[in-house]
Amino acid sequence: MAQSGDIGIDLGTSSILIYMQGKGVVLNEPSVMAIDRDSRRVLAIGSDAQRMLGRTPSNILAIQPLRQGVINDFELTGAMLHYLVQKVIGKRFFNRPRAVMAVPTGVNEIEKRSLMSIMLDASVRKTQLVEKTVAAAIGAKLSIHEAYGNMIVDIGAGVTDIAVISSSHIILSGMLKTGGDQFTEAIVRHLKRKHNLYIGNRSAEELKVNIGSVIPRADDIYMDVTGRSLLSGVPKTISISSGELTEAMDDPLQAFIEGLHRSLEETPAELVEDIYDKGITLSGGGAELSGLDIAIFEALKVKCFVAPDPQKTVVRGCGEVVENPREMNRFLDEKHRWNPVV
């Protein structure tokens, strides 16, 4: 039986999600902080800080301390993580919970140990780090314990993690520097080039989410967007079609598909046969990009499936370990495995 109140954490580039034993996902906050430029005092964290992006005076910085799967500012990342964990579990002096955390691929061993120390300060008794792709595969309910190849592709904001898993082991893993942010930034560049209009990443993200598709829609849909004219310097509103966004996102799409193709080429032949039979599973917030699964199938001729509620796939996998430590213990690092008898 799991310790009451144990938690699972997905420490992502764009969001931090926390699962609590017996309750499910209890927190989903943007990985954004607002700080004073001079003193580095933290002014806001999560949703409150995200609202400040692009809207702050010169003395306030709204930043993302994790970028492209790497912790750019470890001190601020630690402060953000400490705050959000405390928000969920409160200050406990007795019966402190344990945690399973999935971290970005680019985090090194020293940073991993520091993260575990931060969690100890946040009233967590013990923290186990788990491979993000393993957590995603568990959360997507893939049969990774079987002697059969499973390919999981977790598309985050900054990077995409890829793994082929069989018999509870990662056979092949890799990382693409193409994630959701690259599709968003491609939209920003396109509007600059074609319309002489500068929009922020938040506006580009809204376009991508609301009408964007990497394959042509049967019927174009339109959305108004307001930015700054690069010719006159004043605000300007134009109507953008979904077809134009398809064109704008083609470069990151091709880079993404080429990366998947390379991973398939490096996979042992027997496991490639399994993947062609069972298909590729997409997880992460980037998997929600309209038409991505179809574009992959058309390019690689491999079936492709999007996990249910893909943004929560990794944290659900961490939650499965929290809820069933005896069964899931084999997926954890041998040095820090939990004692399933509490």
Side-chain angles (χ1 to χ4, degrees):
M1 179 180 177
Q3 175 76 23
S4 176
D6 288 344
I7 59 174
I9 304 173
D10 175 12
L11 179 62
T13 300
S14 65
S15 301
I16 293 179
L17 292 88
I18 299 181
Y19 178 106
M20 180 170 280
Q21 187 258 327
K23 295 183 178 180
V25 180
V26 295
L27 181 138
N28 184 352
E29 289 276 354
S31 303
V32 181
M33 303 182 74
I35 64 170
D36 183 276
R37 181 189 296 272
D38 300 319
S39 67
R40 287 177 62 84
R41 181 169 64 91
V42 177
L43 305 175
I45 292 174
S47 299
D48 292 338
Q50 188 181 49
R51 284 190 284 271
M52 297 182 181
L53 283 172
R55 297 189 173 98
T56 57
S58 59
N59 66 311
I60 297 177
L61 292 176
I63 62 173
Q64 293 177 280
L66 294 94
R67 293 290 294 173
Q68 291 193 317
V70 176
I71 297 178
N72 283 341
D73 192 310
F74 197 85
E75 180 184 353
L76 292 179
T77 299
M80 177 174 62
L81 187 58
H82 186 283
Y83 171 80
L84 294 175
V85 169
Q86 288 269 288
K87 183 176 180 179
V88 168
I89 69 173
K91 294 182 179 180
R92 299 190 187 184
F93 299 100
F94 304 100
N95 195 29
R96 297 194 302 169
R98 300 176 297 186
V100 171
M101 183 191 298
V103 296
T105 300
V107 175
N108 62 42
E109 291 301 318
I110 294 174
E111 290 173 332
K112 288 178 180 179
R113 288 195 292 272
S114 297
L115 283 171
M116 295 169 77
S117 177
I118 289 167
M119 294 292 287
L120 188 64
D121 291 340
S123 300
V124 172
R125 174 159 54 97
K126 184 175 182 179
T127 300
Q128 171 62 57
L129 305 182
V130 63
E131 293 281 352
K132 196 158 195 174
T133 48
V134 171
I138 294 171
K141 300 190 181 301
L142 301 184
S143 301
I144 59 176
H145 60 283
E146 297 178 357
Y148 208 84
N150 295 271
M151 189 174 213
I152 182 78
V153 178
D154 186 69
I155 310 166
V159 297
T160 294
D161 293 306
I162 302 172
V164 176
I165 306 175
S166 178
S167 301
S168 303
H169 290 86
I170 295 177
I171 307 301
L172 177 142
S173 65
M175 183 182 74
L176 305 181
K177 291 186 177 180
T178 302
D181 286 348
Q182 284 67 46
F183 288 92
T184 301
E185 290 161 5
I187 293 172
V188 174
R189 291 193 301 271
H190 176 83
L191 293 187
K192 275 185 179 179
R193 184 176 63 250
K194 186 169 182 178
H195 297 283
N196 290 307
L197 184 74
Y198 175 73
I199 64 171
N201 279 10
R202 285 192 64 188
S203 296
E205 183 74 16
E206 289 174 3
L207 283 172
K208 183 181 74 175
V209 170
N210 290 322
I211 68 169
S213 176
V214 294
I215 60 172
R217 295 180 181 271
D219 296 300
D220 259 355
I221 54 178
Y222 292 80
M223 179 175 168
D224 288 344
V225 63
T226 300
R228 184 179 72 250
S229 170
L230 297 177
L231 299 178
S232 65
V234 299
K236 178 182 177 182
T237 300
I238 63 173
S239 183
I240 299 295
S241 71
S242 56
E244 190 168 342
L245 295 186
T246 300
E247 175 188 345
M249 294 187 289
D250 188 61
D251 284 348
L253 173 65
Q254 297 309 316
F256 181 84
I257 289 174
E258 286 171 13
L260 285 186
H261 189 205
R262 286 194 301 271
S263 294
L264 286 170
E265 287 181 329
E266 295 168 5
T267 302
E270 295 81 0
L271 298 182
V272 169
E273 290 181 13
D274 296 340
I275 293 167
Y276 272 83
D277 180 40
K278 295 182 68 173
I280 298 170
T281 299
L282 305 181
S283 65
E288 296 181 294
L289 181 56
S290 178
L292 184 58
D293 53 339
I294 298 172
I296 293 170
F297 172 74
E298 290 179 347
L300 302 179
K301 308 306 177 189
V302 184
K303 292 180 291 186
C304 199
F305 306 97
V306 178
D309 199 359
Q311 187 190 24
K312 296 179 180 176
T313 307
V314 169
V315 78
R316 284 199 307 266
C318 293
E320 279 292 314
V321 180
V322 165
E323 299 284 6
N324 304 291
R326 186 184 299 275
E327 179 185 348
M328 297 294 177
N329 206 32
R330 64 185 181 275
F331 297 115
L332 302 180
D333 189 299
E334 292 183 4
K335 295 179 181 178
H336 305 289
R337 283 182 178 171
W338 288 354
N339 178 2
V341 179
V342 179

